[in-house]
Amino acid sequence: MSAGTAKLNVTVAEVKPINDLVTRFKFVRTGGGDLPTFSGGAHTVVEMQDGGITRLNAYSLMSNPADRGAYTISVRRDDQGRGGSRFMHSQVKEGMEMVISNPVNLFSLDLRAKKHLMLAGGIGITPFMAQMHQLSMMDGNFELHYSVRTASLGTYAKELSERYPGKVHIYHDDQKEAIDLKTLLANQPLGTHVYVCGPKGMINWVHSTAGEMGWPREAVHSEEFLAPASGKPFEVKCAVSNKIVQVGEHQSLLEALEAAGIDAPYLCRGGACGQCETNVIGYDGKFLHYDHWLTDEQKAGGKHIMPCVSRFEGKTLVLDR
Amino acid sequence: MSKTEFPPSITSRPVYGELEARSGSGHLMIADAEGAEAILDLAKSTDAAFWAKAHIIYIPKKTGTKFSSQLEELGAGQYYAGPSYEAAQSRIRRALQDCHMGTQVYLSGTESLMGQAMAEATAAGIPHTAIQTEHRGSTARRMQCVHCKGITEDVTTDPFECSHCGLSLFVRDHYSRRLAAFQGVRVDAEDPGNIPEKVELFK
Ligand code: FES
């Protein structure tokens, strides 16, 4: 199962609860030494050995990219989720050895921009934290607008306001504060790029509003990792490895392939990077495409599937793996 | 003047489209000579509200007043006509400095005009893919001599003489976005003095 990027052996150096939902984890290289550099917006895939199951979740690196001594991530607990974040919160302790992937960046800053306008919702703040570190080192022009549910759930809101005075604007849902997106976008100087990370609704809102207001598509960036959806169990035939694989209710197709020892590539495990794209050789049934990688046409065409998030319902599915 | 179909070429050679009205907080239009026609065509599908937010910068070149009165009648919020690109340049820079994200940029006319205005607009921060262009009028080229680096405007023949160093240059499709110019290389480099007859390639 070597299908991601290179792996790093790390030791948990710190586990720190930040608020009721979010816990912060710090990793250092096991046995000492520097970690690879990364750029703001990068994520790492954390491997969790949870009983007999290996869980792999992608988390944005939030630490200073210039600090090669440690990586820091923040994990929001999702009690409705499939268990990765619960594992991180309940099982991961200081001193534990873990395996994480080399950093991969699917949400990098466009350094041609004259100004970086960042819009965060909830735990979507984490990639921006590394980006702000990076920009403040290069004396870059940025501004953060951060929407939180309540002050107490405003992860890092206070600390960021103090670290970057005048550049950070916090909006509290419970006080009916909302980002005035139209006005904000209308007033940006030429050469501004906007970045959004948060819930799906927020991402769509920013893309559509910016589009209507004449923003070039290349100047609007977003990142959203999807959690693999649960669904009815199904069976898939892998033509290349000549194996029949059962995909469980709460298991993703990618996880099932990995459990069967089939080499299946991935980078994000969240339907965003395109790395896991797999050709469909034959099928009888219907696809449940959840990714945001394939085009609508490709989704309708029945020739491709993204195993990290998408599922299938029907009689037979034959994949080129 | 009819539109020119450029034959397929190497990838650095710019390709041009057809201007269309897009929604945006403002519309900056920069055109020369017959490029006015592209703006007038676009005007068929727009209303007064669109023009209220528009800024037209026009360089009539040899067309004189043929199109300028029609352009003026469109009712753009700002209208400027100038004698040359150089004369209009500071105004173009100022206009780009003052506008916000969401402003649409439309360029039409000669390749020289579009290329230079494109370089200004991208330097101001607009991705080049978001800038609309439409070629109209002369196909004469703005050429840079790769030997002396001098730029010769309105080149219509191949080969042509560099207006700076006098070498006879072969007209290449190789294009520099930064300079907004095609590249000219010495045509008799390997066999000095053997200069092929000039052909009028561009009008
Ligand atoms: S692993 Fe990135 S899209 Fe599936």
Side-chain angles (χ1 to χ4, degrees):
Chain A
M1 286 201 284
S2 58
T5 71
K7 300 288 157 77
L8 298 166
N9 294 312
V10 294
T11 300
V12 180
E14 188 189 58
V15 177
K16 187 170 169 46
I18 300 297
N19 54 39
D20 286 352
L21 289 174
V22 175
T23 299
R24 188 173 77 203
F25 300 87
K26 189 172 180 178
F27 302 116
V28 294
R29 208 187 253 279
T30 303
D34 278 348
L35 289 159
T37 43
F38 66 95
S39 52
H43 72 264
T44 181
V45 174
V46 178
E47 299 192 6
M48 306 166 217
Q49 302 305 334
D50 188 2
I53 318 174
T54 305
R55 303 185 184 281
L56 296 113
N57 278 12
Y59 296 106
S60 297
L61 295 169
M62 54 172 276
S63 41
N64 186 344
D67 175 9
R68 299 184 61 185
Y71 287 165
T72 309
I73 61 169
S74 284
V75 179
R76 182 191 186 281
R77 199 181 70 230
D78 179 2
D79 293 324
Q80 261 57 261
R82 299 177 324 133
S85 66
R86 267 199 313 274
F87 177 88
M88 291 298 292
H89 277 246
S90 62
Q91 306 294 317
V92 175
K93 303 278 180 293
E94 274 173 41
M96 201 165 136
E97 292 191 9
M98 296 185 84
V99 174
I100 66 174
S101 76
N102 254 329
V104 170
N105 202 343
L106 301 174
F107 190 51
S108 51
L109 293 166
D110 188 326
L111 294 174
R112 294 168 299 184
K114 296 185 185 296
K115 178 178 174 188
H116 306 269
L117 177 68
M118 301 167 173
L119 306 176
I123 195 65
I125 188 65
T126 53
F128 293 127
M129 295 182 73
Q131 292 182 338
M132 287 189 282
H133 272 299
Q134 185 180 336
L135 285 169
S136 56
M137 283 187 300
M138 346 181 320
D139 208 17
N141 184 5
F142 68 90
E143 193 174 305
L144 170 76
H145 295 259
Y146 180 18
S147 184
V148 302
R149 275 207 260 159
T150 64
S152 62
L153 289 175
T155 313
Y156 308 116
K158 205 166 149 270
E159 144 180 8
L160 289 173
S161 304
E162 284 163 11
R163 198 188 297 164
Y164 306 111
K167 291 182 186 285
V168 172
H169 307 266
I170 311 288
Y171 304 79
H172 302 90
D173 285 354
D174 63 341
Q175 287 168 41
K176 301 262 173 300
E177 294 167 354
I179 300 174
D180 181 0
L181 185 59
K182 281 218 163 117
T183 311
L184 190 60
L185 292 180
N187 290 322
Q188 296 307 318
L190 224 50
T192 305
H193 281 235
V194 61
Y195 304 82
V196 52
C197 185
K200 192 184 210 73
M202 180 179 191
I203 291 174
N204 294 344
W205 176 55
V206 173
H207 275 287
S208 63
T209 311
E212 281 158 25
M213 294 178 67
W215 280 58
R217 204 176 313 152
E218 298 84 344
V220 186
H221 312 266
S222 60
E223 178 164 72
E224 185 207 11
F225 291 150
L226 304 165
S230 301
K232 288 190 204 135
F234 64 99
E235 187 177 284
V236 4
K237 196 169 161 216
C238 295
V240 177
S241 35
N242 197 20
K243 282 184 185 163
I244 303 223
V245 175
Q246 308 292 335
V247 184
E249 192 181 338
H250 298 296
Q251 193 181 27
S252 73
L253 170 51
L254 178 62
E255 287 163 349
L257 296 174
E258 289 170 339
I262 294 168
D263 205 32
Y266 68 86
L267 285 177
C268 73
R269 305 181 80 87
C273 72
Q275 187 72 16
C276 68
E277 186 173 325
T278 301
N279 293 329
V280 173
I281 296 177
Y283 71 100
D284 177 6
K286 82 170 201 274
F287 290 98
L288 305 168
H289 290 292
Y290 296 118
D291 61 277
H292 30 218
W293 175 260
L294 297 174
T295 62
D296 289 346
E297 252 163 58
Q298 285 176 315
K299 285 180 184 174
K303 294 213 164 64
H304 308 273
I305 188 168
M306 308 305 287
C308 64
V309 289
S310 298
R311 303 185 71 87
F312 181 78
E313 272 176 12
K315 281 208 210 103
T316 51
L317 173 62
V318 188
L319 297 181
D320 186 16
R321 280 278 184 242
Chain B
M1 165 94 44
S2 64
K3 290 177 205 161
T4 311
E5 289 287 337
F6 295 104
S9 179
I10 55 176
T11 46
S12 76
R13 198 214 188 299
V15 288
Y16 307 102
E18 223 167 274
L19 301 188
E20 63 172 34
R22 290 195 187 146
S23 62
S25 54
H27 308 279
L28 176 61
M29 304 181 158
I30 307 171
D32 70 355
E34 285 88 359
E37 290 178 311
I39 297 178
L40 294 169
D41 280 353
L42 173 139
K44 290 172 190 157
S45 61
T46 47
D47 54 16
F50 176 93
W51 293 102
K53 296 191 288 181
H55 183 171
I56 302 177
I57 296 176
Y58 180 53
I59 299 137
K61 291 180 98 174
K62 285 191 209 123
T63 62
T65 54
K66 189 170 170 202
F67 302 111
S68 45
S69 53
Q70 291 178 68
L71 282 183
E72 232 170 313
E73 277 163 27
L74 292 173
Q78 293 181 77
Y79 175 80
Y80 162 91
S84 67
Y85 183 82
E86 290 66 34
Q89 195 170 37
S90 57
R91 191 172 176 103
I92 291 170
R93 286 196 181 149
R94 186 60 209 256
L96 285 164
Q97 225 173 58
D98 290 348
C99 66
H100 288 124
M101 285 299 285
T103 300
Q104 301 295 324
V105 174
Y106 308 76
L107 311 176
S108 61
T110 63
E111 295 198 77
S112 171
L113 175 281
M114 290 190 287
Q116 293 180 85
M118 172 79 82
E120 290 290 348
T122 49
I126 307 179
H128 73 89
T129 42
I131 299 168
Q132 296 192 63
T133 53
E134 180 168 339
H135 180 266
R136 294 283 185 126
S138 169
T139 54
R141 289 186 177 189
R142 176 176 153 89
M143 300 293 308
Q144 190 202 34
C145 170
V146 305
H147 310 283
C148 80
K149 311 295 176 200
I151 287 183
T152 306
E153 286 284 351
D154 295 325
V155 170
T156 55
T157 64
D158 180 28
F160 73 102
E161 277 105 48
C162 173
S163 57
H164 302 260
C165 68
L167 284 175
S168 281
L169 304 178
F170 164 54
V171 173
R172 285 187 39 86
D173 269 356
H174 193 134
Y175 184 80
S176 160
R177 255 183 218 291
R178 187 176 58 87
L179 301 165
F182 290 93
Q183 310 289 298
V185 294
R186 186 172 171 186
V187 77
D188 57 340
E190 285 172 26
D191 187 5
N194 182 4
I195 296 167
E197 206 166 310
K198 267 187 202 172
V199 195
E200 186 173 57
L201 274 191
F202 318 109
K203 284 225 168 27

CSV table of all heavy atoms in Angstrom, one decimal, chain A residues 106 254 265-277 291 293 306-309, ligand 1:
chain,number,residue,atom,x,y,z
A,106,LEU,N,-2.7,21.4,-2.5
A,106,LEU,CA,-3.8,21.5,-3.5
A,106,LEU,C,-4.4,22.9,-3.4
A,106,LEU,O,-5.4,23.2,-4.0
A,106,LEU,CB,-4.8,20.5,-3.3
A,106,LEU,CG,-4.4,19.0,-3.4
A,106,LEU,CD1,-5.5,18.1,-3.1
A,106,LEU,CD2,-3.8,18.7,-4.8
A,254,LEU,N,-12.0,3.2,-2.1
A,254,LEU,CA,-10.5,3.3,-2.0
A,254,LEU,C,-10.0,2.4,-0.8
A,254,LEU,O,-9.0,1.7,-0.9
A,254,LEU,CB,-10.1,4.7,-1.8
A,254,LEU,CG,-8.6,5.0,-1.7
A,254,LEU,CD1,-7.8,4.6,-2.9
A,254,LEU,CD2,-8.3,6.5,-1.4
A,265,PRO,N,-3.8,4.7,-6.2
A,265,PRO,CA,-3.2,6.0,-5.9
A,265,PRO,C,-4.2,6.9,-5.2
A,265,PRO,O,-5.4,6.8,-5.3
A,265,PRO,CB,-2.8,6.5,-7.2
A,265,PRO,CG,-3.7,5.9,-8.2
A,265,PRO,CD,-4.0,4.5,-7.6
A,266,TYR,N,-3.6,7.9,-4.4
A,266,TYR,CA,-4.4,8.9,-3.8
A,266,TYR,C,-3.5,10.0,-3.4
A,266,TYR,O,-2.3,9.8,-3.2
A,266,TYR,CB,-5.2,8.4,-2.6
A,266,TYR,CG,-4.3,8.1,-1.4
A,266,TYR,CD1,-3.9,9.0,-0.5
A,266,TYR,CD2,-3.9,6.8,-1.2
A,266,TYR,CE1,-3.1,8.7,0.5
A,266,TYR,CE2,-3.0,6.5,-0.2
A,266,TYR,CZ,-2.6,7.5,0.7
A,266,TYR,OH,-1.8,7.2,1.7
A,267,LEU,N,-4.0,11.2,-3.2
A,267,LEU,CA,-3.3,12.3,-2.6
A,267,LEU,C,-4.1,13.0,-1.5
A,267,LEU,O,-3.6,13.4,-0.5
A,267,LEU,CB,-2.8,13.4,-3.6
A,267,LEU,CG,-1.6,13.0,-4.5
A,267,LEU,CD1,-1.4,14.1,-5.5
A,267,LEU,CD2,-0.4,12.7,-3.7
A,268,CYS,N,-5.4,13.1,-1.8
A,268,CYS,CA,-6.2,13.9,-0.8
A,268,CYS,C,-7.3,13.1,-0.1
A,268,CYS,O,-7.7,13.5,1.0
A,268,CYS,CB,-6.9,15.1,-1.6
A,268,CYS,SG,-8.3,14.5,-2.6
A,269,ARG,N,-7.7,12.0,-0.7
A,269,ARG,CA,-8.8,11.2,-0.1
A,269,ARG,C,-10.0,12.0,0.1
A,269,ARG,O,-10.8,11.6,1.0
A,269,ARG,CB,-8.3,10.5,1.1
A,269,ARG,CG,-7.0,9.7,1.0
A,269,ARG,CD,-6.6,9.0,2.2
A,269,ARG,NE,-7.3,7.8,2.4
A,269,ARG,CZ,-7.0,6.6,2.0
A,269,ARG,NH1,-5.9,6.5,1.2
A,269,ARG,NH2,-7.7,5.5,2.2
A,270,GLY,N,-10.2,13.0,-0.6
A,270,GLY,CA,-11.4,13.9,-0.4
A,270,GLY,C,-12.0,14.4,-1.7
A,270,GLY,O,-12.7,15.4,-1.7
A,271,GLY,N,-11.8,13.7,-2.8
A,271,GLY,CA,-12.5,14.1,-4.0
A,271,GLY,C,-12.0,15.4,-4.7
A,271,GLY,O,-12.7,15.9,-5.5
A,272,ALA,N,-10.8,15.8,-4.3
A,272,ALA,CA,-10.4,17.1,-4.8
A,272,ALA,C,-9.2,17.1,-5.7
A,272,ALA,O,-9.0,18.0,-6.5
A,272,ALA,CB,-10.1,18.0,-3.6
A,273,CYS,N,-8.3,16.1,-5.7
A,273,CYS,CA,-7.0,16.2,-6.4
A,273,CYS,C,-7.0,15.5,-7.7
A,273,CYS,O,-6.2,15.8,-8.5
A,273,CYS,CB,-5.9,15.6,-5.5
A,273,CYS,SG,-5.9,13.8,-5.3
A,274,GLY,N,-7.8,14.5,-7.9
A,274,GLY,CA,-7.9,13.8,-9.2
A,274,GLY,C,-6.9,12.6,-9.2
A,274,GLY,O,-7.0,11.8,-10.2
A,275,GLN,N,-6.1,12.4,-8.2
A,275,GLN,CA,-5.1,11.3,-8.3
A,275,GLN,C,-5.7,9.9,-8.3
A,275,GLN,O,-5.1,9.0,-8.9
A,275,GLN,CB,-4.2,11.5,-7.0
A,275,GLN,CG,-3.0,10.6,-7.0
A,275,GLN,CD,-2.0,11.0,-8.0
A,275,GLN,OE1,-2.0,12.1,-8.5
A,275,GLN,NE2,-1.1,10.1,-8.3
A,276,CYS,N,-6.9,9.7,-7.7
A,276,CYS,CA,-7.4,8.3,-7.6
A,276,CYS,C,-8.2,7.9,-8.8
A,276,CYS,O,-8.8,6.8,-8.8
A,276,CYS,CB,-8.2,8.2,-6.3
A,276,CYS,SG,-9.7,9.1,-6.3
A,277,GLU,N,-8.4,8.8,-9.7
A,277,GLU,CA,-9.3,8.5,-10.9
A,277,GLU,C,-9.0,7.2,-11.5
A,277,GLU,O,-7.9,6.8,-11.8
A,277,GLU,CB,-9.1,9.6,-12.0
A,277,GLU,CG,-10.0,9.5,-13.1
A,277,GLU,CD,-9.9,10.6,-14.1
A,277,GLU,OE1,-9.7,11.8,-13.7
A,277,GLU,OE2,-10.1,10.3,-15.3
A,291,ASP,N,-17.5,13.2,-5.9
A,291,ASP,CA,-16.3,14.0,-6.0
A,291,ASP,C,-16.5,15.4,-6.6
A,291,ASP,O,-17.6,15.6,-7.3
A,291,ASP,CB,-15.3,13.3,-6.8
A,291,ASP,CG,-15.8,13.1,-8.2
A,291,ASP,OD1,-16.6,12.1,-8.5
A,291,ASP,OD2,-15.5,13.9,-9.1
A,293,TRP,N,-14.1,16.4,-8.8
A,293,TRP,CA,-13.0,16.3,-9.8
A,293,TRP,C,-13.5,16.1,-11.2
A,293,TRP,O,-13.3,16.9,-12.1
A,293,TRP,CB,-12.0,15.2,-9.4
A,293,TRP,CG,-11.0,15.0,-10.4
A,293,TRP,CD1,-10.9,14.1,-11.4
A,293,TRP,CD2,-9.8,15.9,-10.6
A,293,TRP,NE1,-9.8,14.3,-12.1
A,293,TRP,CE2,-9.1,15.3,-11.7
A,293,TRP,CE3,-9.3,17.0,-10.0
A,293,TRP,CZ2,-8.0,15.9,-12.2
A,293,TRP,CZ3,-8.2,17.6,-10.4
A,293,TRP,CH2,-7.5,17.0,-11.5
A,306,MET,N,-14.1,8.1,-8.9
A,306,MET,CA,-13.1,8.5,-7.9
A,306,MET,C,-13.3,7.7,-6.7
A,306,MET,O,-14.2,8.0,-5.9
A,306,MET,CB,-13.2,10.0,-7.7
A,306,MET,CG,-13.3,10.9,-8.9
A,306,MET,SD,-11.9,10.8,-10.0
A,306,MET,CE,-10.6,11.6,-9.0
A,307,PRO,N,-12.5,6.6,-6.5
A,307,PRO,CA,-12.8,5.7,-5.4
A,307,PRO,C,-12.7,6.3,-4.0
A,307,PRO,O,-13.1,5.7,-3.0
A,307,PRO,CB,-11.7,4.6,-5.6
A,307,PRO,CG,-11.2,4.8,-7.0
A,307,PRO,CD,-11.4,6.2,-7.3
A,308,CYS,N,-12.0,7.4,-3.8
A,308,CYS,CA,-11.9,8.0,-2.5
A,308,CYS,C,-13.2,8.4,-1.9
A,308,CYS,O,-13.4,8.4,-0.6
A,308,CYS,CB,-10.8,9.1,-2.4
A,308,CYS,SG,-11.3,10.5,-3.3
A,309,VAL,N,-14.1,8.9,-2.7
A,309,VAL,CA,-15.4,9.4,-2.1
A,309,VAL,C,-16.6,8.7,-2.8
A,309,VAL,O,-17.7,8.8,-2.2
A,309,VAL,CB,-15.5,10.9,-2.2
A,309,VAL,CG1,-14.6,11.6,-1.2
A,309,VAL,CG2,-15.3,11.4,-3.6
C,1,FES,S1,-7.6,10.9,-3.8
C,1,FES,FE1,-7.9,13.0,-4.4
C,1,FES,S2,-9.6,12.8,-5.6
C,1,FES,FE2,-9.5,10.8,-4.8
